[in-house]
Amino acid sequence: MQKNAHRLKALVDDLLDVSRIEAGSLELALLDLDVRHEIIDAIQLMQNQINEKGIGLELNIPANLGRIKADRLRFCQVISNLISNA
């Protein structure tokens, strides 16, 4: 039940984000982010889910991947969605 509740909450949050985007009211806090560091952080936040599903995950991220201006929360959300869908 807890997994389903978490999944439903994530779906509702995604729908709210789409609504905010369409309404033009989604506010982003743009920061200078190290892409490699943010990807590793996002994966560490998901480590329990990865372990529960028995997924093997091998990171091969170049050290000089660079920096971007992005909203940290949204960037983490994108990485999490990509891993969840893989």
Side-chain angles (χ1 to χ4, degrees), residues 11 14 46 53 55 77-86:
L11 289 172
D14 288 345
M46 296 183 68
K53 293 181 180 181
I55 296 171
Q77 186 179 20
V78 168
I79 299 302
S80 299
N81 286 344
L82 288 172
I83 292 169
S84 294
N85 292 332

Side-chain angles (χ1 to χ4, degrees), residues 8-54:
L8 287 174
K9 181 189 177 308
L11 289 172
V12 169
D13 289 344
D14 288 345
L15 287 172
L16 289 171
D17 286 344
V18 169
S19 177
R20 288 183 194 109
I21 290 168
E22 288 177 349
S25 64
L26 181 68
E27 294 184 24
L28 301 176
L30 298 180
L31 302 170
D32 185 41
L33 304 178
D34 179 296
V35 176
R36 184 176 193 277
H37 177 76
E38 296 301 326
I39 291 171
I40 291 170
D41 279 355
I43 290 170
Q44 287 175 343
L45 289 172
M46 296 183 68
Q47 199 60 55
N48 285 342
Q49 293 171 336
I50 291 168
N51 293 342
E52 285 176 3
K53 293 181 180 181

